[in-house]
Amino acid sequence: MNVTRKQERQLRRALAEWEQEGALSASEHQRLAATLTRVALDWQRLSRYAIWTALACAIIAIGSLFADSGLMAWLADLFVFSSLARIGLPAALAVGFYLWGFGRQRRETRWHYSTEGLLFLGVLFTAIALWQLGERLDTGSGHIAPLFLAGCAVYGLVGFLGRSGLVWLFFLLSLGNWFGAETGYISGWGAYWLGMNYPVRFIFFAAVLLTLCWWLKGMLIKRHLYVTSKATGLSYLFIALWIMSIFGNYDIDNWYGVTRAALLPWALLFAVAAAVCIYISLKTDDGMLRGFGLTFLAINLYTRYFEYFWDGMHKVLFFLILAVSLAALGRYAEKIWHATARRT
């Protein structure tokens, strides 16, 4: 079996532990260890990084194109005869990349990252076509949500059929943009919609997204889209909670007069959400939940430190208190770990 250096180290450690516990004999240990062949270079990872870097360079190139006023003026003169051409050309390129990617996927299923790169280029030109369509249909109303919804339809269909996590990510991001733009337009671009500012809205949006992710887990796993959906939903949730812990359900004009005590419940909610995430991860051995929980718990602690203790407490004392509390928690977890190991 071909394995990377890290995988080989983990597997050999597991085999050694199984032999010590009596689950494997010495001969079985040697036989299984002999089947491991270390790969000198992780070509799969290199392929992924190279394709991602190529896509990043393509985005930078297109961004540089729009930043070049002289070149943009030349392109505007080239297509001045028809605004439909400015929509049709990127749309045709997008369709071409989609067909190329799907055709390559049917013929060469092993070239996954190359296929995903082609589909992403289709996404890029779809976004340009929608932008130009918005320019043509603009009436000054500021209602841009339908464009995001059209992007959602295209990206969702392509990502689902193509089993592309990258395209599916843009579908989820466009879905969030549509939700924010639509609720903003309905509320007249005010601070509140149904009594909720933007962070509160996205807490509910993330909750619905994660619920659908759990409900459709089997189908999403088959399409290789579950991890992307789950990570995006958790990102929406925790970023919204973090902003809520700072600003609460207030607009900017009223926020300056809000006391820290009024924002404390939102900070506690943020901490509880992170703790629940960590607890579930310990029960289910879910690395993603553990990573999100620990990361945003640390972000919460540092944010509260700057809010409450930056001016009123010496930095040495604050971090000593934090160190002692975390050490106590670690010691308690260590006792539970050893007790569980003895029972096992």
Side-chain angles (χ1 to χ4, degrees):
M1 182 172 63
N2 295 327
V3 294
T4 63
R5 182 180 289 104
K6 180 180 179 180
Q7 292 171 337
E8 181 189 20
R9 185 168 60 252
Q10 293 173 340
L11 289 172
R12 291 191 184 279
R13 185 184 301 119
L15 291 174
E17 291 179 357
W18 289 338
E19 183 182 357
Q20 291 176 358
E21 295 171 357
L24 289 177
S25 64
S27 59
E28 289 175 330
H29 181 183
Q30 293 177 357
R31 180 177 60 83
L32 292 174
T35 63
L36 301 178
T37 303
R38 181 189 300 178
V39 178
L41 182 64
D42 191 346
W43 292 101
Q44 180 182 3
R45 183 172 297 178
L46 177 62
S47 171
R48 180 170 69 248
Y49 292 164
I51 294 296
W52 286 357
T53 305
L55 294 176
C57 291
I59 294 174
I60 294 172
I62 293 177
S64 301
L65 168 65
F66 290 118
D68 191 329
S69 57
L71 190 55
M72 285 300 297
W74 178 78
L75 289 174
D77 292 337
L78 185 64
F79 293 104
V80 70
F81 63 90
S82 174
S83 59
L84 293 178
R86 295 198 296 270
I87 303 171
L89 180 59
L93 288 173
V95 171
F97 278 117
Y98 289 144
L99 294 177
W100 188 6
F102 284 127
R104 188 181 182 88
Q105 191 176 57
R106 286 195 300 269
R107 294 191 307 271
E108 304 177 27
T109 56
R110 294 176 298 174
W111 296 93
H112 173 72
Y113 298 122
S114 299
T115 302
E116 196 164 66
L118 292 173
L119 295 177
F120 176 77
L121 289 175
V123 166
L124 198 59
F125 283 104
T126 300
I128 295 174
L130 290 174
W131 165 46
Q132 289 299 314
L133 179 63
E135 291 281 342
R136 178 173 176 78
L137 300 179
D138 184 22
T139 61
S141 66
H143 193 197
I144 61 174
L147 294 176
F148 287 118
L149 192 59
C152 286
V154 176
Y155 304 154
L157 184 63
V158 172
F160 185 81
L161 295 178
R163 301 188 298 276
S164 171
L166 185 59
V167 178
W168 189 255
L169 173 63
F170 274 82
F171 158 68
L172 296 174
L173 294 176
S174 295
L175 191 64
N177 285 325
W178 165 79
F179 176 74
E182 185 66 24
T183 57
Y185 177 77
I186 293 173
S187 64
W189 301 109
Y192 298 101
W193 174 70
L194 299 179
M196 300 179 291
N197 64 5
Y198 275 99
V200 177
R201 297 177 216 175
F202 274 93
I203 290 175
F204 288 101
F205 176 81
V208 172
L209 185 60
L210 289 171
T211 301
L212 290 174
C213 180
W214 174 79
W215 186 38
L216 303 174
K217 180 177 179 180
M219 181 182 66
L220 292 174
I221 289 176
K222 289 181 181 178
R223 308 302 297 182
H224 307 288
L225 304 175
Y226 176 70
V227 174
T228 302
S229 303
K230 183 179 176 182
T232 307
L234 289 171
S235 298
Y236 275 128
L237 175 64
F238 279 105
I239 291 174
L241 285 170
W242 180 37
I243 298 173
M244 284 300 302
S245 72
I246 299 173
F247 296 101
N249 192 21
Y250 303 98
D251 60 16
I252 295 299
D253 295 331
N254 295 327
W255 175 73
Y256 291 101
V258 175
T259 62
R260 292 173 179 174
L263 297 174
L264 185 58
W266 296 108
L268 293 176
L269 177 63
F270 185 22
V272 168
V276 168
C277 218
I278 296 171
Y279 177 76
I280 296 175
S281 73
L282 295 176
K283 287 285 188 179
T284 61
D285 195 25
D286 191 320
M288 183 184 294
L289 286 177
R290 182 169 57 250
F292 270 92
L294 292 173
T295 299
F296 281 95
L297 181 61
I299 289 174
N300 191 10
L301 290 172
Y302 274 99
T303 304
R304 304 291 76 77
Y305 165 67
F306 284 107
E307 281 187 351
Y308 295 102
F309 304 112
W310 182 256
D311 296 322
M313 180 183 292
H314 197 281
K315 284 65 179 173
V316 174
L317 180 59
F318 173 81
F319 281 103
L320 280 177
I321 294 173
L322 184 61
V324 170
S325 60
L326 291 177
L329 177 62
R331 178 56 181 162
Y332 177 71
E334 191 177 54
K335 288 181 179 179
I336 296 177
W337 167 41
H338 287 304
T340 305
R342 283 195 296 269
R343 286 197 301 269
T344 304

